[in-house]
Amino acid sequence: IRKYGDAATSYLQKLAAEHSRLQTAGAFEDALKVAEEMLRYSEQTTGLGSVTTIAALSRLARTYKWMGKYTEAEAAYRRAQQSADELSGGPAKEQAQATSWDNLAGFYVLRGRYGDAEPLQRRALTNFEKLEGPNGIDVSTTCSNLAVTEFWQGNYSASDALDLRALSIARSAGDRLQEAYVLDNIGILH
């Protein structure tokens, strides 16, 4: 985006806002068009292997998922994961990898593919712990997501321990939204 400057950033931010508005309104076909434009523009301005393009792929994948187009969603999530794996090293790569692994794992949980989800969630958790320390909000979110996977695999004590860790992190951080998210997961599972 540096090459294209603030205009490119502004355009992508406008597209992201419009995409969110359309999805919230349930206008998925229109949201899909915006997500496809975001991906096209990201690839044009930042290249195939950039954090911006990975984020656009993840947004496209979520749109497909919400539309029930699971084959397309999985392909986009996998492409985002592969792109994150190909970034040059450092914190940006580790963040992109962890996020893409957690996103793909969430898709697998939705599809009942817990055995595929768990290793991705554990890799994401390791990266988030490295990036944020043991008490980061992304650590809390990933612990809570992994708790769901453990629960559905019948590992109830592991699920409970992960949820308690996630809740403790959220409360220590004073993040009420994250605390509500974790409590909602606990409520659903129990």
Side-chain angles (χ1 to χ4, degrees):
I1 287 186
R2 285 187 199 127
K3 176 178 160 184
Y4 292 87
D6 292 337
T9 301
S10 177
Y11 181 61
L12 286 169
Q13 288 171 341
K14 287 177 185 175
L15 287 174
E18 179 66 4
H19 180 263
S20 294
R21 184 190 70 74
L22 290 167
Q23 280 201 160
T24 301
F28 298 118
E29 290 294 335
D30 292 333
L32 179 61
K33 291 174 187 169
V34 173
E36 290 170 339
E37 170 61 10
M38 285 183 72
L39 178 58
R40 185 200 63 74
Y41 192 76
S42 294
E43 289 175 338
Q44 175 188 335
T45 58
T46 66
L48 297 174
S50 73
V51 172
T52 305
T53 299
I54 293 165
L57 279 164
S58 294
R59 191 175 287 266
L60 179 65
R62 279 193 310 273
T63 305
Y64 281 135
K65 177 179 71 176
W66 290 334
M67 295 175 76
K69 296 182 175 187
Y70 299 124
T71 301
E72 294 89 341
E74 183 174 4
Y77 279 128
R78 284 180 163 280
R79 189 168 157 213
Q81 177 203 344
Q82 290 164 351
S83 294
D85 289 345
E86 292 170 5
L87 288 173
S88 57
K93 176 180 181 159
E94 292 168 355
Q95 179 75 37
Q97 284 178 316
T99 301
S100 66
W101 293 330
D102 206 33
N103 288 343
L104 181 58
F107 173 76
Y108 287 152
V109 168
L110 173 73
R111 303 298 294 152
R113 294 171 55 185
Y114 309 114
D116 292 329
E118 184 181 356
L120 293 171
Q121 288 169 319
R122 291 201 181 279
R123 288 170 69 191
L125 182 58
T126 298
N127 271 28
F128 283 134
E129 288 171 332
K130 181 178 177 185
L131 290 164
E132 301 175 355
N135 297 316
I137 291 302
D138 289 323
V139 172
S140 175
T141 300
T142 305
C143 280
S144 190
N145 292 344
L146 183 54
V148 172
T149 302
E150 292 288 6
F151 179 88
W152 289 115
Q153 293 183 105
N155 302 325
Y156 305 117
S157 61
S159 175
D160 288 345
L162 285 160
D163 267 333
L164 290 174
R165 179 179 178 203
L167 186 59
S168 175
I169 293 168
R171 286 183 172 161
S172 293
D175 190 325
R176 305 293 282 173
L177 184 60
Q178 179 65 18
E179 182 180 349
Y181 170 77
V182 174
L183 288 170
D184 186 51
N185 265 2
I186 292 170
I188 290 169
L189 298 178
H190 296 284

